[in-house]
């Protein structure tokens, strides 16, 4: 008996080595060679333990359940799901009566975790939820009733002198439970229970730091992803905390060495490329953070014509001074990551950027500069050559940072220069892309360029109106900007036409508002062109009227479109009523000249 027990232990240990160590070196044409060998060794160990007859002692039941757990995992790893499920269900069945005992609870919990993962992989999320919530409940029950660190499954096949310390047992058991929470977070995400998913994800990340059971890159990406959830909820403190923690933990993944070092080893080159990609992905999350912070500040501070409300600005500054300290004290407790050593590093990163809404240009510029640094970091990996869509999205975010910063700038000339920076980064992209392959992206760029030129034209008109008399340079600039805006709006509208160059009778929902707004803006732009030639002026007014008329007629024929352009439509109807009379007056003036 002693001999067969020793042989069983030996077979089990060899199975673990084959599965977890030797399998890493399996050839590509035999990817599961070591896993299959491990399976045979596990079956050998099970045979040496004796038959499963339903009357096993608790100790024997635990040992048999460990083998079943390992076989279940082995089959799922080799993509044999039904066999994997069968073994895992047997493991659970063997321990049902003694699942709360300290030598069985960890095995039971791991079997349930694996059943949860298996059913989630099959797309049966509700069944997965049942297993994982049952595992969560068992852990809580065990910690409340017993609390003693349980025996780890592998210990059942180790001699007394190799048994784990209480501390190591506790750490391993906590890691098993962390896995339960991690998979529950995924389940709740699938079920669209976003708040619950975020809560479980946050707890998982915290526990991974606490029990040192994580991959730094994976952890950092998960924390950065969680930051975006908080961002959507306008929880800026939590979002910043997740991003700062992501930066700090990512730095543990190792330095990215010089290109000379990376040439030495292909596998190392792949690893470094992966690191660069993940670093840039975290940088993009930071860019979104800075952009949302500035955009939300703008929404809060703008008046009904989209300009900065100075009275509200003063009011909000006074209010913030009162509330800030209390708010920070109260919320900090809920979101801390990591132990004291790592927290200091996180705090240092957090201090680089605010988490309260900027209320003036100086504060907005500080957020902008942080965002711009992360834009440059993101561009290091997401370059136009090889990462077209990602590169363009990063550039569009950079443009959006300038746009929202310009809102805080009171000097119109400086504001114009910020918009010019946007044009300088977007226009080359627009020229370089082939609309045949990147139609949607081209449309976005055309519309944004048109809007930017339009905004600059409006600013130049405002600057010109402050002068006693507009000089020829200002007039030329206004006309040039208006024509550039018209050109890009027309390019956008042309992209909607059929191959035989016909504009659609009915616009698709995704382009309905942009197309009608483009028509409205072109109409307005023709009205803004400055000329001393009365014929040219009449011609511009006629073009303007035709665009306004299109908008009115389209909405009359497609009433569902009215909702998307209510404000513009109201102004358009006024212009359709007023323009013919204005044109007639101009004709009369023109004809009265000799």
């Amino acid at each position: 008996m002693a001999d067969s027990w020793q042989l069983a232990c030996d077979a089990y240990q060899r199975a673990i080595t084959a599965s977890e160590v030797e399998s890493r070196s399996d050839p590509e044409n035999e990817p599961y060679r070591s896993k299959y060998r491990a399976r045979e060794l596990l079956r050998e160990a099970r045979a040496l333990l004796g038959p499963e007859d339903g009357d096993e002692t608790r100790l024997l039941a635990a040992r048999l359940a460990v083998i079943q757990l390992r076989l279940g995992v082995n089959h799922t790893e080799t993509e044999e799901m039904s066999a994997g499920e069968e073994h895992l269900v047997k493991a659970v069945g063997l321990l049902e009566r003694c699942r709360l005992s300290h030598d069985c609870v960890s095995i039971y919990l791991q079997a349930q975790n694996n059943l949860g993962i298996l059913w989630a992989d099959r797309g049966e999320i509700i069944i997965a939820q049942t297993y994982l919530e049952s595992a969560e409940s068992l852990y809580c029950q065990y910690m409340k009733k017993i609390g003693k660190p349980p025996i780890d499954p592998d210990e059942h096949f180790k001699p007394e002198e190799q048994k784990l310390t209480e501390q190591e047992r506790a750490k391993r058991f906590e890691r098993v439970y962390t896995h339960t929470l991690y998979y529950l977070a995924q389940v709740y995400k699938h079920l669209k229970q976003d708040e619950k998913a975020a809560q479980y994800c946050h707890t998982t990340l915290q526990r991974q730091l606490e029990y040192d059971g994580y991959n730094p890159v994976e952890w950092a990406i998960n924390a950065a992803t969680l930051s975006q959830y908080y961002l959507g909820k306008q929880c800026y403190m939590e979002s910043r905390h997740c991003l700062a923690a992501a930066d700090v933990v990512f730095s543990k993944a190792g330095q990215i060495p010089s290109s000379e070092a990376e040439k030495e080893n292909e596998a190392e080159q792949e690893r470094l490329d992966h690191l660069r990609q993940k670093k840039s992905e975290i940088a993009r999350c930071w860019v979104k953070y800075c952009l949302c912070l500035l955009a939300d500040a703008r929404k809060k501070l703008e008046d009904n014509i989209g300009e900065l409300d100075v009275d509200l600005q003063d009011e909000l500054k006074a209010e913030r001074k009162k509330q800030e300290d209390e708010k920070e004290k109260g919320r900090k407790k809920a979101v801390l990551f990591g132990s004291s050593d790592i927290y200091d590093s996180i705090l240092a990163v957090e201090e680089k950027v605010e988490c309260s809404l900027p209320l003036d240009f100086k504060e907005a510029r500080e957020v902008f500069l942080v965002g711009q640094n992360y834009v440059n970091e993101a561009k290091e990996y997401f370059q136009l050559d090889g990462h077209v869509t990602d590169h363009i999205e990063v550039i569009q975010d950079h443009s959006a940072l300038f746009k929202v910063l310009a809102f805080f700038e009171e000097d119109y000339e400086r504001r114009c220069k910020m918009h010019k920076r946007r044009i300088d980064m977007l226009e080359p992209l627009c020229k370089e892309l082939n609309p045949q392959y990147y139609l949607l992206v081209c449309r976005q760029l055309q519309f944004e360029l048109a809007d930017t030129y339009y905004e600059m034209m409006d600013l130049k008109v405002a600057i010109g109106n402050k002068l006693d008399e507009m000089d020829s340079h200002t007039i030329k600039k206004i006309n040039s900007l208006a024509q550039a805006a018209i050109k890009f709006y027309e390019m956008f509208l042309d992209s909607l036409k059929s191959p035989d160059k016909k504009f659609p009778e009915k616009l698709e929902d995704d382009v309905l508002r942009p197309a009608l707004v483009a028509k409205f803006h072109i109409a307005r732009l023709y009205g803004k062109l400055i000329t001393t030639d009365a014929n040219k002026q009449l011609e511009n007014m006629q073009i303007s009227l035709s665009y306004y008329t299109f908008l009115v007629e389209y909405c009359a024929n497609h009433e569902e479109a009215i909702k998307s352009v209510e404000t513009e439509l109201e102004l358009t109807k006024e212009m359709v009523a007023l323009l013919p009379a204005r044109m007639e007056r101009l004709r009369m003036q023109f004809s009265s000249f000799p």
Side-chain angles (χ1 to χ4, degrees):
M1 183 69 189
D3 282 352
S4 62
W5 168 238
Q6 192 51 54
L7 287 168
C9 288
D10 183 52
Y12 181 84
Q13 294 305 335
R14 282 188 291 135
I16 300 303
T17 306
S19 183
E20 293 179 4
V21 181
E22 292 163 13
S23 64
R24 293 178 204 153
S25 312
D26 283 349
E28 275 182 38
N29 60 340
E30 283 184 278
Y32 299 135
R33 187 170 69 187
S34 299
K35 298 283 181 190
Y36 293 144
R37 203 165 134 267
R39 188 183 299 173
E40 291 312 312
L41 287 163
L42 287 167
R43 284 174 179 159
E44 200 180 297
R46 185 179 65 185
L48 287 161
L49 290 177
E52 293 173 32
D53 57 12
D55 293 319
E56 302 88 358
T57 62
R58 196 170 85 190
L59 181 60
L60 179 57
R63 287 169 177 172
L64 288 166
V66 172
I67 301 281
Q68 293 294 353
L69 168 65
R70 283 288 185 179
L71 281 167
V73 171
N74 180 287
H75 278 282
T76 54
E77 284 175 342
T78 57
E79 298 172 51
E80 298 162 59
M81 298 300 174
S82 296
E85 182 195 353
E86 198 180 312
H87 286 293
L88 292 168
V89 168
K90 276 185 184 173
V92 168
L94 281 162
L95 302 181
E96 197 61 54
R97 285 172 299 177
C98 52
R99 65 185 183 278
L100 268 173
S101 63
H102 97 290
D103 47 358
C104 298
V105 68
S106 187
I107 311 163
Y108 193 91
L109 206 64
Q110 289 188 46
Q112 286 201 305
N113 277 357
N114 279 285
L115 281 163
I117 299 161
L118 185 144
W119 282 101
D121 285 344
R122 287 172 169 170
E124 298 283 353
I125 305 300
I126 301 298
I127 301 175
Q129 180 186 7
T130 306
Y131 275 114
L132 293 165
E133 284 181 349
S134 169
E136 179 187 29
S137 168
L138 180 67
Y139 168 87
C140 296
Q141 224 180 325
Y142 178 82
M143 294 308 282
K144 193 175 176 183
K145 285 188 178 175
I146 298 163
K148 180 184 174 186
I151 289 174
D152 187 70
D154 289 348
E155 284 188 90
H156 284 284
F157 291 90
K158 282 184 177 176
E160 201 58 44
E161 64 274 11
Q162 284 181 27
K163 292 281 164 86
L164 303 173
T165 62
E166 292 281 289
Q167 194 179 0
E168 184 57 34
R169 278 179 180 172
K171 191 184 268 192
R172 289 195 186 191
F173 187 54
E174 293 301 343
R175 281 182 189 167
V176 170
Y177 179 56
T178 301
H179 279 128
T180 309
L181 300 178
Y182 175 80
Y183 294 117
L184 271 172
Q186 315 306 310
V187 160
Y188 293 135
K189 194 176 176 185
H190 271 289
L191 296 172
K192 303 278 186 280
Q193 296 179 26
D194 293 343
E195 198 168 331
K196 212 168 182 182
Q199 181 193 327
Y200 273 74
C201 183
H202 202 126
T203 307
T204 300
L205 291 168
Q206 173 56 48
R207 288 177 62 85
Q208 284 174 336
L209 287 180
E210 201 176 330
Y211 299 107
D212 197 29
Y214 63 94
N215 169 305
V217 176
E218 200 179 300
W219 193 99
I221 289 294
N222 286 334
T225 306
L226 180 60
S227 79
Q228 303 303 285
Y229 165 78
Y230 286 131
L231 206 50
K233 295 285 179 188
Q234 296 181 314
C235 299
Y236 287 108
M237 184 182 294
E238 290 86 341
S239 181
R240 180 184 67 171
H241 189 72
C242 288
L243 286 167
D247 271 3
V248 170
V249 172
F250 186 87
S251 65
K252 291 172 177 253
Q255 293 302 304
I256 298 176
S258 65
S259 53
E260 286 74 29
E262 110 188 31
K263 284 173 193 166
E264 292 169 19
N265 182 329
E266 203 175 313
E268 181 64 0
Q269 195 170 341
E270 272 181 36
R271 187 186 75 84
L272 295 171
D273 196 51
H274 176 72
L275 278 183
R276 280 198 194 91
Q277 182 185 345
K278 297 304 171 191
K279 189 169 189 274
S280 292
E281 282 173 15
I282 295 166
R284 285 180 76 178
C285 291
W286 270 111
V287 174
K288 295 290 185 197
Y289 170 86
C290 294
L291 192 49
C292 287
L293 194 63
L294 288 165
D296 281 350
R298 175 185 179 157
K299 273 181 214 157
K300 199 159 191 171
L301 287 164
E302 66 186 351
D303 58 21
N304 57 0
I305 56 160
E307 287 295 325
L308 183 67
D309 186 329
V310 182
D311 294 336
L312 180 61
Q313 185 183 36
D314 293 338
E315 203 181 296
L316 289 171
K317 279 186 178 182
E319 194 184 304
R320 184 173 71 185
K321 210 166 179 59
K322 273 188 238 166
Q323 290 179 356
E324 212 168 45
D325 295 342
E326 291 310 308
K327 201 175 181 184
E328 186 133 344
K329 279 177 202 163
R331 287 170 72 206
K332 274 284 181 188
K333 292 168 192 161
V335 298
L336 298 192
F337 269 137
S339 47
S340 54
D341 59 328
I342 198 173
Y343 183 64
D344 289 342
S345 307
I346 294 170
L347 194 62
V349 177
E350 282 185 326
E351 282 169 358
K352 289 180 188 174
V353 63
E354 278 298 330
C355 64
S356 52
L357 297 179
L359 297 178
D360 57 32
F361 181 78
K362 183 176 174 290
E363 290 176 3
R365 186 173 177 272
E366 283 169 8
V367 177
F368 166 85
L369 290 172
V370 171
Q372 185 166 250
N373 282 339
Y374 281 110
V375 163
N376 294 331
E377 204 170 285
K379 282 195 298 189
E380 282 176 25
Y381 181 82
F382 295 114
Q383 294 177 8
L384 190 58
D385 183 17
H387 301 279
V388 179
T389 312
D390 289 300
H391 178 80
I392 289 165
E393 281 175 18
V394 173
I395 300 299
Q396 285 176 309
D397 281 346
H398 196 187
S399 165
L401 281 169
F402 269 108
K403 183 182 181 179
V404 80
L405 179 66
F407 166 79
F408 292 90
E409 177 54 74
E410 290 171 30
D411 184 299
Y412 283 3
E413 285 290 1
R414 285 178 62 187
R415 204 189 278 194
C416 256
K417 283 175 183 163
M418 289 179 196
H419 291 306
K420 179 70 171 73
R421 287 288 302 275
R422 296 172 63 204
I423 283 162
D424 291 343
M425 61 178 80
L426 296 171
E427 209 162 326
L429 286 177
C430 201
K431 284 176 184 166
E432 200 161 332
L433 288 179
N434 184 338
Q436 196 180 334
Y437 304 111
Y438 297 102
L439 180 61
L440 198 62
V441 174
C442 285
R443 282 177 181 168
Q444 286 174 357
L445 292 171
Q446 287 155 1
F447 198 88
E448 190 175 347
L449 279 161
D451 265 2
T452 310
Y453 275 118
Y454 183 88
E455 207 156 338
M456 285 177 76
M457 184 274 301
D458 262 353
L459 287 166
K460 286 294 179 188
V461 168
I463 292 164
N465 287 340
K466 287 180 184 175
L467 304 170
D468 294 335
E469 195 181 329
M470 273 200 212
D471 55 65
S472 61
H473 174 75
T474 305
I475 291 169
K476 197 176 173 186
K477 193 70 190 163
I478 289 167
N479 286 343
S480 158
L481 291 166
Q483 281 154 353
I486 290 167
K487 180 183 92 169
F488 281 105
Y489 281 130
E490 290 287 18
M491 281 170 75
F492 169 75
L493 291 169
D494 285 345
S495 78
L496 304 176
K497 290 178 180 176
S498 62
D500 57 356
K501 305 293 177 200
K502 281 187 181 167
F503 197 75
E505 280 181 34
K506 191 174 190 306
L507 291 156
E508 297 292 330
D509 288 349
D510 59 332
V511 292
L512 176 64
R513 177 167 166 78
L516 297 181
V517 166
K519 292 275 188 183
F520 172 76
H521 281 173
I522 292 171
R524 187 170 176 265
L525 285 158
Y526 271 105
K528 289 281 181 181
L529 289 169
I530 302 167
T531 177
T532 51
D533 181 338
N535 277 330
K536 190 68 187 163
Q537 200 174 341
L538 271 170
E539 190 186 316
N540 289 341
M541 289 167 91
Q542 185 58 54
I543 296 170
S544 187
L545 180 60
S546 70
Y547 276 94
Y548 281 131
T549 306
F550 173 91
L551 192 57
V552 172
E553 286 176 356
Y554 187 91
C555 290
N557 294 329
H558 305 91
E559 288 184 12
E560 72 280 1
I562 295 170
K563 236 181 211 172
S564 63
V565 281
E566 272 178 303
T567 313
E568 290 85 359
L569 187 59
E570 203 177 311
L571 293 165
T572 299
K573 284 177 177 174
E574 280 178 34
M575 294 308 291
V576 168
L578 292 170
L579 267 176
R582 281 186 192 170
M583 288 162 73
E584 192 51 42
R585 274 201 305 275
L586 189 62
R587 280 193 198 99
M588 298 278 286
Q589 284 172 16
F590 185 44
S591 61
S592 66
F593 287 111

